[in-house]
Amino acid sequence: NTYVRNQILGALLKMMQEQPFSDISISALVSTAQVGRASFYRNYTDKEDVLRQENDRRMKSNLFKAQIN
């Protein structure tokens, strides 16, 4: 699960350096990530959800770090 999510996020970030977000298809994303479509949809609802979940994860991490300090 973590492997799939990391592969998808890494592939999406790489693809966004090469083309507009709106031009990235789920098919191209899973192909670049070398994971199946079913694995993608098991973890995300759409490509926007990939970024949303990563943003949420980073926000929670930053809040946790702020509470420690």
Side-chain angles (χ1 to χ4, degrees), residues 9-53:
L9 178 61
L12 181 57
L13 294 176
K14 179 182 176 193
M15 294 174 78
M16 287 173 60
Q17 293 177 351
E18 301 166 357
Q19 59 189 301
F21 183 75
S22 60
D23 290 350
I24 299 171
S25 67
I26 299 299
S27 295
L29 178 55
V30 297
S31 176
T32 301
Q34 298 181 331
V35 300
R37 282 181 82 85
S39 294
F40 177 88
Y41 286 110
R42 207 173 293 122
N43 290 279
Y44 303 105
T45 56
D46 52 31
K47 64 184 179 182
E48 289 82 0
D49 194 31
V50 178
L51 297 178
R52 188 177 312 112
Q53 286 189 32

